[in-house]
Amino acid sequence: MEQIVQRGNKAVFVDGENIVKVFNDTKPVSDVFNEALNLARVNEAGISTPEPVSVTKVDGSWALTTTYVPGRTLAELMAEDPDQLDRYLAMFVDFQIDIHSHRAPLLQHQKDKYARMIASLTDVLDATTRYELEMRLDGMPNEVSVCHGDFNPTNVIVGDDGKLYACDWAHATQGSGAAGAAISYLLFEIDDHEMAKRYLDLYCKKSDTPKQVIRNWMSIVAAAELSRRREESAKDFLLRWIDVVDYQ
């Protein structure tokens, strides 16, 4: 196997016609199986993804194997050819809107997942802030769009066949497409404010979504992201979003 990525709690290898993601011991085995199940469900829903192959152990570590999609990530193409940035961003947004048009009734519900994530932040947010976020979340509409949960250009492969494929479905839910867009906006904003603004403008235009609807989700998705990101720089950034949206 040839290693192609080392990131966080996983190493990614190419093994013939397959991709093998090998996780370290910080990744609960239930999470590995859940990611495989999410991938199977969204693939069956008709979304363009690599196909699940197996969950096994590799040298004592749990691994998720999927089919290999020859191509480049959208993030790589954006970095290498900035003159084509508008085209690549439009491809990204169109693909996200297409994903949101699908339904997968057996995926976990977004609001349930976010409620658990917010409740887990006892060491970061005080009870008053958590309660405010929980009440905001409770008041959001119940929707059933497929949402990737971590949709950013590193998770979109532009295949050699010209098609787009979405990978890394660990955080998939059924819920609000606006919440999914809010997450993508924050992920862009961490690295590039101007790119985040361009993304939000384009998503709202193409999906005919008012910006206010996406902004209503910002504090909630920032808290959800905070529950899984422990880097100090990201932590400070996300805390500012929670403060800004809640109290100004």
Side-chain angles (χ1 to χ4, degrees):
M1 294 194 298
E2 176 190 356
Q3 182 171 328
I4 56 173
V5 174
Q6 174 78 53
R7 186 169 57 202
N9 59 3
K10 67 188 174 188
V12 182
F13 301 85
V14 176
D15 184 17
E17 296 183 350
N18 293 328
I19 287 286
V20 183
K21 291 201 294 187
V22 181
F23 298 93
N24 64 26
D25 57 9
T26 66
K27 181 81 166 179
V29 62
S30 58
D31 286 357
V32 181
F33 278 91
N34 184 65
E35 181 174 347
L37 187 56
N38 285 347
L39 176 60
R41 285 172 171 166
V42 299
N43 188 268
E44 289 173 354
I47 296 171
S48 178
T49 72
E51 295 180 9
V53 175
S54 66
V55 176
T56 56
K57 274 194 170 181
V58 175
D59 297 329
S61 298
W62 285 101
L64 169 60
T65 300
T66 67
T67 54
Y68 172 55
V69 177
R72 308 288 301 284
T73 69
L74 202 50
E76 292 172 327
L77 295 174
M78 287 175 162
E80 291 175 8
D81 194 358
D83 290 341
Q84 295 295 315
L85 198 56
D86 287 341
R87 182 168 74 89
Y88 291 139
L89 191 59
M91 290 166 60
F92 178 81
V93 168
D94 287 340
F95 191 27
Q96 186 173 32
I97 292 171
D98 177 71
I99 289 170
H100 292 167
S101 73
H102 287 76
R103 303 291 179 264
L106 296 180
L107 285 177
Q108 68 176 317
H109 289 275
Q110 186 182 69
K111 289 173 68 173
D112 293 341
K113 180 180 177 69
Y114 287 170
R116 290 192 298 272
M117 296 171 90
I118 292 167
S120 74
L121 292 169
T122 55
D123 60 333
V124 184
L125 301 177
D126 62 33
T128 300
T129 303
R130 297 197 311 275
Y131 180 82
E132 170 67 17
L133 290 166
E134 289 163 357
M135 291 301 99
R136 284 174 177 264
L137 175 61
D138 187 60
M140 301 303 281
N142 295 313
E143 300 178 64
V144 292
S145 294
V146 171
C147 295
H148 182 279
D150 188 21
F151 197 70
N152 68 83
T154 67
N155 285 332
V156 176
I157 301 168
V158 181
D160 290 346
D161 59 4
K163 292 177 58 179
L164 300 185
Y165 298 81
C167 58
D168 290 346
W169 286 87
H171 303 286
T173 59
Q174 54 175 319
S176 167
I183 294 169
S184 295
Y185 173 81
L186 286 178
L187 295 176
F188 277 119
E189 183 74 35
I190 287 173
D191 296 318
D192 188 333
H193 172 73
E194 183 57 33
M195 178 64 78
K197 183 178 181 300
R198 289 168 71 177
Y199 160 77
L200 187 60
D201 288 344
L202 191 59
Y203 180 89
C204 290
K205 179 179 179 180
K206 283 178 169 285
S207 65
D208 195 30
T209 302
K211 288 182 182 177
Q212 296 91 327
V213 173
I214 295 174
R215 288 179 180 138
N216 286 342
W217 281 98
M218 289 297 189
S219 60
I220 295 166
V221 301
E225 280 293 303
L226 187 60
S227 75
R228 68 188 192 91
R229 287 175 174 264
R230 297 304 179 189
E231 312 96 324
E232 284 303 315
S233 58
K235 181 177 175 181
D236 291 343
F237 168 84
L238 293 167
L239 282 170
R240 288 196 300 273
W241 266 101
I242 293 169
D243 288 343
V244 165
V245 178
D246 278 348
Y247 302 119
Q248 286 191 2

